[in-house]
Amino acid sequence: MYKLEPVFKERIWGGRRLEELFQYDLPVGKIGECWAVSAHPSGLTRLIEGPNRGQTLDVLWASQRLELFGSYALDSFPLHVKLLDSSSYLSIQVHPNDEEARRLENEPYGKSECWYVLEADEGAEVIVGHTLTCPEELKQCAQTKDWDNCLRHIPVKRGDFLYIPSGTIHALGPGIVLLEIQQMSDRTYRLYDYDRLDEQGNPRELHLEKAIAVTTIPDEPVVFEPVEEVLPSGIKTTLLEALPFTVVRHEVTGPGYLLENHDVFRLLSVVAGEAVVRQHEMSRTIKKGEHFFIPRASGDYSVTGEVEFVTSEVFPR
């Protein structure tokens, strides 16, 4: 497993809690996003150790796909992992699916995503889904800004997990820090942005026509029941197993928790605690706020300590 160097992004709705919670050395400003694993040209993360030290995942995907990642019928690196810190509401937004992204933007992937809530203030909420029955009602809602009456507001707390398929209207509320696992896309269509102004004093751009075109109507909430496996040294919980990715939470409470060999690559994000990882003669410490790339067929890893981490991988295609 190889550690990645994150990239930080200032956002109008961001804050400074990533500094407090993960001891990151943040740049100045309202830092809303840590791009922990990214092959997107707007923020490439680099391996900071191992034989491919200094390389980015897009380059490795192009040059060593079968060796490091596995066999996929995909044109580019497919996953993107973030930490988000919201001090105010994100825009009410929606993302295209793969076909729409190719047709509308000439991009390889749309954007389905999922949220694992790490911290949430009392009363924190998210917006996921709507109650509208046709595109005309969505157009009317956008014109009248009657969003409170047509969107689904969901209270959240630490440990909650939500799946946000492409086509789902959504927004993150204030007072939340979460881990987001998504498709490798930065394409967002804004429906409403609370009339906020950018640094130049201009209203932020909306994308109503495209947003309405890609929104799933009527809304079709997708809920997955987590599958929990109690092990001698911890708990393994499959949070999501569906296109386009699989997400697993690992809660290690004792010695020798086994992270088994895998035929395809995985990404690993440590969200709490610290542990020692061993493999043959190799031994290393992993701790909260670190993110790793695990190549395919790299063998078993033994994890000992008090730690919680999340692994993600591409769902079989």
Side-chain angles (χ1 to χ4, degrees):
M1 61 168 57
Y2 304 113
K3 188 176 175 181
L4 290 152
E5 182 177 18
V7 174
F8 300 102
K9 298 287 185 176
E10 187 170 13
R11 297 290 185 252
I12 195 170
W13 43 263
R16 303 293 300 180
R17 293 178 74 181
L18 298 181
E19 190 171 51
E20 167 195 348
L21 293 173
F22 300 101
Q23 281 70 60
Y24 290 142
D25 183 15
L26 296 184
V28 297
K30 296 181 177 181
I31 305 304
E33 297 185 3
C34 164
W35 287 19
V37 184
S38 171
H40 195 278
S42 296
L44 295 164
T45 54
R46 298 181 181 275
L47 275 66
I48 58 176
E49 58 191 19
N52 294 295
R53 179 178 180 179
Q55 292 281 9
T56 55
L57 293 169
D58 60 327
V59 171
L60 295 176
W61 182 270
S63 61
Q64 302 181 56
R65 184 186 309 187
L66 186 59
E67 177 186 352
L68 295 179
F69 300 95
S71 178
Y72 296 104
L74 302 171
D75 292 332
S76 57
F77 186 81
L79 298 181
H80 193 116
V81 179
K82 299 177 181 176
L83 291 166
L84 271 62
D85 168 23
S86 61
S87 63
S88 61
Y89 277 95
L90 278 66
S91 60
I92 294 171
Q93 59 190 251
V94 66
H95 307 300
N97 61 28
D98 289 359
E99 186 278 327
E100 292 162 340
R102 288 190 291 267
R103 175 169 49 85
L104 296 173
E105 308 294 345
N106 195 30
E107 296 175 349
Y109 301 119
K111 185 178 174 185
S112 291
E113 62 191 80
C114 59
W115 296 339
Y116 180 45
V117 179
L118 304 178
E119 299 286 342
D121 293 347
E122 185 175 354
E125 67 168 20
V126 298
I127 293 169
V128 179
H130 60 81
T131 59
L132 306 168
T133 61
C134 63
E136 288 69 28
E137 288 186 2
L138 179 52
K139 293 177 185 176
Q140 178 69 19
C141 184
Q143 291 170 355
T144 61
K145 301 181 183 180
D146 189 26
W147 296 109
D148 282 343
N149 291 319
C150 60
L151 301 179
R152 291 194 174 100
H153 294 252
I154 302 173
V156 292
K157 62 184 184 306
R158 182 176 183 175
D160 285 348
F161 180 83
L162 299 97
Y163 176 47
I164 319 291
S166 57
T168 304
I169 294 176
H170 62 283
L172 191 62
I176 298 171
V177 176
L178 57 78
L179 178 73
E180 176 176 297
I181 296 165
Q182 57 160 93
Q183 290 180 277
M184 202 281 294
S185 170
D186 197 33
R187 180 62 57 185
T188 294
Y189 298 144
R190 297 192 194 107
L191 285 154
Y192 181 57
D193 195 47
Y194 305 92
D195 300 319
R196 286 182 290 206
L197 304 179
D198 62 21
E199 293 180 349
Q200 288 73 43
N202 301 313
R204 295 218 296 166
E205 183 182 5
L206 301 180
H207 317 90
L208 293 178
E209 184 175 341
K210 288 182 178 179
I212 293 169
V214 306
T215 297
T216 300
I217 304 175
D219 190 37
E220 300 174 358
V222 179
V223 178
F224 286 86
E225 290 296 328
V227 178
E228 185 177 286
E229 182 181 359
V230 179
L231 305 169
S233 52
I235 301 173
K236 175 183 177 181
T237 306
T238 301
L239 299 171
L240 178 66
E241 193 169 22
L243 283 173
F245 36 63
T246 296
V247 179
V248 180
R249 179 179 64 214
H250 307 260
E251 299 168 280
V252 181
T253 56
Y257 182 95
L258 188 63
L259 189 61
E260 296 178 318
N261 183 47
H262 224 44
D263 288 338
V264 296
F265 81 97
R266 283 176 292 184
L267 306 173
L268 185 153
S269 294
V270 186
V271 298
E274 185 174 310
V276 174
V277 177
R278 294 184 175 88
Q279 184 188 60
H280 307 304
E281 297 81 17
M282 184 278 292
S283 176
R284 71 169 306 146
T285 299
I286 62 172
K287 61 183 180 180
K288 181 180 179 179
E290 294 182 335
H291 306 268
F292 297 88
F293 165 66
I294 305 177
R296 66 174 297 274
S298 54
D300 295 341
Y301 294 91
S302 175
V303 184
T304 298
E306 298 282 337
V307 71
E308 179 184 354
F309 59 87
V310 175
T311 56
S312 54
E313 64 190 77
V314 180
F315 187 81
R317 291 184 180 230

